[in-house]
């Protein structure tokens, strides 16, 4: 379904000389149909892409000049979990991020004032303020990285819901039961995510 939609868009993109990130959101109801052409890095999982592609700046530069180069991964797996703030969305929300983990915390639309990261009021949008990213050469390693970052933020006014990882592991297990291989590495049991 994804290829069908993308193939139909490729001629228009080529004619326009489009050279930026692009992803498609598609619904399948009998036939696939496009609901959102995303002319941007996808969020999620763009936050993982910032870290997992060791040559991202070269990819962007080459792409802007009409050349396509292969990404060079820094790890085999990436895990991303959305982070929410417990403050009211109609007020400024703040948090501190220790220097040793700030690379792995990706905030949406934030600014920095002194040692505080500040999220402006966004009434009627969402409590989601960013994501926590972890990389590893096994799924377990990537999950452990996310858990370590979450532990470092435990005193901040944020929540990091690990249940999304459990849901994803369940879906991977169901797909593998149907013969769709996700990886040749062992996939952890969903319950292993929560201590």
């Amino acid at each position: 379904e994804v290829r069908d939609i993308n193939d139909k868009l490729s001629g228009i993109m080529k004619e326009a000389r489009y050279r930026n990130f692009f992803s498609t959101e598609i619904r399948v109801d009998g036939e696939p149909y496009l609901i959102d052409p995303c002319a941007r890095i996808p969020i999620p999982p763009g936050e993982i892409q910032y870290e997992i592609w060791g040559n991202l700046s070269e990819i962007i530069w080459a792409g802007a000049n009409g050349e396509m180069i292969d990404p060079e991964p820094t790890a085999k797996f990436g895990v991303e979990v959305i982070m929410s703030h417990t403050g009211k969305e109609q007020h400024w929300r703040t948090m501190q991020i220790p220097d040793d983990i700030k690379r792995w915390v990706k905030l949406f639309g934030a600014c920095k004032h002194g040692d505080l990261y500040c999220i402006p009021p966004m009434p009627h949008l969402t409590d989601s303020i960013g994501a926590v990213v972890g990389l590893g050469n096994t799924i377990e390693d990537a999950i452990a990285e996310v858990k370590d970052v979450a532990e470092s933020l435990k005193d901040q006014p944020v929540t990091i819901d690990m249940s999304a990882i459990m849901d994803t592991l369940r879906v991977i297990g169901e797909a593998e039961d149907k013969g769709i291989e996700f990886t040749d590495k062992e996939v952890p049991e969903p319950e292993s995510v929560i201590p």
Side-chain angles (χ1 to χ4, degrees), residues 17-88:
R17 297 182 68 231
Y18 185 80
R19 296 176 178 183
N20 197 349
F21 289 98
F22 190 78
S23 62
T24 51
E25 291 187 17
I26 297 167
R27 294 267 189 242
V28 179
D29 185 13
E31 291 292 315
Y33 60 96
L34 181 67
I35 62 168
D36 190 3
C38 302
R40 56 170 170 75
I41 196 165
I43 298 174
E47 297 78 13
I48 290 174
Q49 292 179 27
Y50 296 138
E51 299 301 335
I52 205 164
W53 304 131
N55 62 335
L56 183 60
S57 59
E58 290 86 4
I59 292 169
I60 293 169
W61 179 261
N65 289 288
E67 180 187 352
M68 196 162 72
I69 62 172
D70 290 331
E72 296 172 3
T74 60
K76 293 185 182 202
F77 295 95
V79 171
E80 177 176 335
V81 179
I82 299 299
M83 178 173 55
S84 297
H85 198 283
T86 59
K88 297 189 181 292

Side-chain angles (χ1 to χ4, degrees), residues 120-184:
M122 293 186 267
H124 313 298
L125 288 180
T126 179
D127 292 331
S128 299
I129 61 161
V132 172
V133 173
L135 303 180
N137 286 322
T138 66
I139 297 172
E140 291 92 341
D141 290 345
I143 292 170
E145 292 292 322
V146 169
K147 286 180 173 182
D148 288 347
V149 173
E151 178 64 22
S152 295
L153 294 172
K154 69 180 180 185
D155 296 329
Q156 296 302 308
V158 296
T159 58
I160 300 165
D161 184 8
M162 301 294 281
S163 67
I165 297 174
M166 294 174 62
D167 295 341
T168 302
L169 292 173
R170 281 190 194 99
V171 170
I172 291 169
E174 291 168 7
E176 288 192 333
D177 289 346
K178 294 177 181 176
I180 301 169
E181 184 180 5
F182 179 74
T183 178
D184 59 354

